[in-house]
Amino acid sequence: MQSINQLVEYPLLAEKQITLVIKREDLLHPNISGNKYRKLKYNLLAAKAENQHTILTFGGAYSNHIAATAYAAKEKGFKAIGIIRGEELENSWQTNETLKRAHDDGMRFRFISRSNYREKESQVFIDTLRNELGKFYLVPEGGTNDLAIKGCEEIITNDDKEFDVVCSSVGTGGTVSGLIKSSFPHQNVLGFSALKGDFLKDEINKMVNNTRWQLFTDYHFGGYAKTSEELILFINEFKEKTGIPLDPIYTGKMIFGLFDMVKRDTFAEGTKIMAVHTGGIQGIAGMNSVLKKKNLPLLHI
């Protein structure tokens, strides 16, 4: 399955003579959006080959990965278990759009404390879960593992050779690693971190085999799931002018950062840029409930 490339027409881009195309991975599947479709593809095939019947994974309250895994498991005939960060959600998840959707798609939840959640990569903790919940195929938080990267390598196709720069938002590093590995020799891959700090550089370096990439850490807006009025207004204006919705956790920050770099003449005239839309639109409803409580502008859906 392939996504479509959509040309972005914007006054700033025309002024700077920059070509920007959005690869609409968010349109790959109506319920398994963007990079989550890519990351789950080979993992579900592996689970089937191992004769597994249950997929277990981890995520937070508004996790795109939780929503996507729940639907993908249902579609492929698996049971699904979500280990959810935050015990306080156990009695209120029904009011959370993401978790309600995942539950409707058949996912069972186990809510755990944030301190226990930090043990999600511990073999002892995973063994405890297997003792309590039975046999399962484990997909890591965010879906990133070798099979996920293999799936993300398929995002770039021969039709994308014309681009000089490929951009992606970065959460766990799996998507951008796939892009780095499959990019053409003349292309530079730019990652825009949605998380605070530089630690993702080391994580990505463990997964890739070339140096034609950079990670930008100045556009996280305070850290994961953090946002601001400036970012919300930018996302709304971008949708109004292009018809392309962005999410405030990942793609909105990437496009904001990209436009800021264009303004600062980071790219030479005539540069052709492809930015990967990794999905995440399902999380807008949940984010709007948070923004409303903070008396901030709402995202246009």
Side-chain angles (χ1 to χ4, degrees):
M1 186 177 291
Q2 290 189 11
S3 49
I4 63 169
N5 287 350
Q6 183 173 343
L7 178 67
V8 176
E9 297 183 2
Y10 220 90
L12 173 66
L13 300 172
E15 175 192 339
K16 300 291 187 178
Q17 297 183 45
I18 300 295
T19 299
L20 173 62
V21 163
I22 305 286
K23 181 172 274 288
R24 297 294 303 274
E25 291 279 292
D26 59 310
L27 301 178
L28 273 178
H29 188 285
N31 295 296
I32 312 170
S33 182
N35 62 341
K36 303 309 178 188
Y37 180 93
R38 303 289 190 181
K39 288 181 172 184
L40 288 167
K41 176 181 175 180
Y42 290 109
N43 274 289
L44 294 182
L45 288 173
K48 188 72 75 175
E50 293 177 14
N51 198 31
Q52 298 276 8
H53 303 289
T54 301
I55 306 297
L56 180 141
T57 196
F58 299 84
Y62 300 103
S63 167
N64 298 320
H65 173 65
I66 287 291
T69 301
Y71 192 92
K74 179 180 76 169
E75 186 175 70
K76 299 299 182 182
F78 294 97
K79 295 177 182 178
I81 300 173
I83 308 300
I84 309 299
R85 181 179 64 247
E87 291 173 307
E88 72 279 2
L89 295 166
E90 187 161 7
N91 297 316
S92 62
W93 64 263
Q94 295 91 339
T95 63
N96 178 296
E97 291 289 334
T98 298
L99 296 181
K100 184 177 183 303
R101 174 178 170 181
H103 181 267
D104 290 346
D105 287 329
M107 179 174 275
R108 290 189 293 136
F109 300 133
R110 170 69 64 90
F111 297 92
I112 63 175
S113 68
R114 282 165 170 74
S115 59
N116 283 342
Y117 192 86
R118 286 192 286 271
E119 301 298 315
K120 62 186 179 295
E121 296 178 9
S122 159
Q123 192 58 53
V124 173
F125 181 62
I126 293 168
D127 289 342
T128 300
L129 290 176
R130 284 202 167 93
N131 289 334
E132 293 178 3
L133 302 172
K135 187 180 177 185
F136 56 75
Y137 181 92
L138 175 66
V139 176
E141 180 186 41
T144 291
N145 57 16
D146 290 343
L147 291 176
I149 294 170
K150 178 182 177 180
C152 290
E153 287 181 47
E154 296 176 353
I155 294 173
I156 295 178
T157 70
N158 283 330
D159 294 336
D160 302 323
K161 276 184 179 178
E162 65 176 299
F163 298 104
D164 308 300
V165 176
V166 177
C167 300
S168 174
S169 54
V170 180
T172 55
T175 301
V176 76
S177 295
L179 295 172
I180 292 165
K181 293 181 76 172
S182 63
S183 61
F184 293 97
H186 66 279
Q187 292 176 331
N188 190 26
V189 178
L190 308 184
F192 291 82
S193 178
L195 285 69
K196 199 172 184 178
D198 292 334
F199 64 95
L200 280 169
K201 289 181 180 178
D202 292 334
E203 294 300 314
I204 295 167
N205 266 322
K206 295 174 186 175
M207 297 184 273
V208 302
N209 52 9
N210 73 62
T211 58
R212 301 188 311 274
W213 63 276
Q214 294 171 270
L215 181 68
F216 294 94
T217 59
D218 297 329
Y219 303 105
H220 54 68
F221 286 85
Y224 180 72
K226 304 291 185 183
T227 187
S228 73
E229 183 171 353
E230 181 184 23
L231 179 62
I232 300 303
L233 294 176
F234 172 81
I235 290 171
N236 286 340
E237 179 185 359
F238 187 84
K239 187 184 181 205
E240 180 183 339
K241 290 186 176 180
T242 67
I244 302 173
L246 304 173
D247 84 289
I249 309 299
Y250 294 108
T251 56
K253 294 177 179 180
M254 170 187 66
I255 298 298
F256 183 98
L258 192 56
F259 271 50
D260 183 59
M261 293 169 68
V262 170
K263 287 177 187 174
R264 293 188 287 107
D265 296 319
T266 303
F267 306 105
E269 288 185 0
T271 299
K272 294 182 177 180
I273 303 171
M274 181 179 80
V276 179
H277 195 314
T278 51
I281 302 306
Q282 69 83 26
I284 288 179
M287 178 57 76
N288 274 344
S289 67
V290 174
L291 295 173
K292 190 173 183 179
K293 291 176 183 176
K294 295 182 177 180
N295 201 29
L296 288 171
L298 302 184
L299 291 152
H300 298 165
I301 299 178

